[in-house]
Amino acid sequence: MSRRTKFAALAAASAASVAAVGLTASPAMAATVATGSLTLNNVPLLGTINCSSTLDGTKTSTTFTVTGATATGCGATVTAQNLPWSGTFGPPSTMYFAMKAAGCTYSGTLTGTTNAGPPRTITFTNQPVTGSGFPCFSGITVSATYTF
């Protein structure tokens, strides 16, 4: 292989590596689409968990996709699961939801209301979720308000 061919092959491999890193990093660079509050009600051993929450992803006039979700200030570790989530601006408004708290993943499709905006606000009130993992109990509900 000539020196020029080796250089061209190395340059092509480097460009492919840069492109792969760029593609891998793209989802992590999703914009914040909503901020708000999140409450998990009736959590075993903890009772009510109140958090501030941020949703990252994309939105259109009728739908949104959540590629990252945070819950902070909860007094317990709460982490997003099963991303991406999808949702719709109503009526009715819906959003798939899955968060892990106290060793259990609580998930389900939340149904709520949306104001006309702008900004648009979705409110979910006492929406039942199902727990999986150990120890999980029934009766957990989610209340949340997000401003898009």
Side-chain angles (χ1 to χ4, degrees):
M1 191 180 280
S2 74
R3 180 180 244 172
R4 186 182 304 192
T5 306
K6 287 180 185 177
F7 180 74
L10 180 59
S14 295
S17 294
V18 169
V21 169
L23 291 174
T24 302
S26 294
M29 295 179 188
T32 297
V33 293
T35 58
S37 62
L38 168 68
T39 301
L40 299 173
N41 304 299
N42 308 315
V43 178
L45 308 175
L46 300 175
T48 300
I49 299 175
N50 293 305
C51 310
S52 294
S53 183
T54 301
L55 304 178
D56 295 332
T58 57
K59 67 177 179 171
T60 68
S61 61
T62 58
T63 65
F64 57 94
T65 300
V66 177
T67 57
T70 61
T72 58
C74 308
T77 301
V78 178
T79 56
Q81 305 291 302
N82 306 331
L83 292 166
W85 304 342
S86 60
T88 60
F89 295 109
S93 299
T94 62
M95 179 177 76
Y96 176 76
F97 171 91
M99 289 276 194
K100 185 172 187 175
C104 190
T105 298
Y106 301 101
S107 63
T109 299
L110 310 181
T111 302
T113 58
T114 303
N115 70 342
R120 279 195 142 148
T121 300
I122 295 180
T123 302
F124 303 103
T125 305
N126 293 323
Q127 293 296 293
V129 290
T130 303
S132 63
F134 181 80
C136 294
F137 299 90
S138 60
I140 308 302
T141 63
V142 171
S143 295
T145 300
Y146 287 103
T147 300
F148 288 78

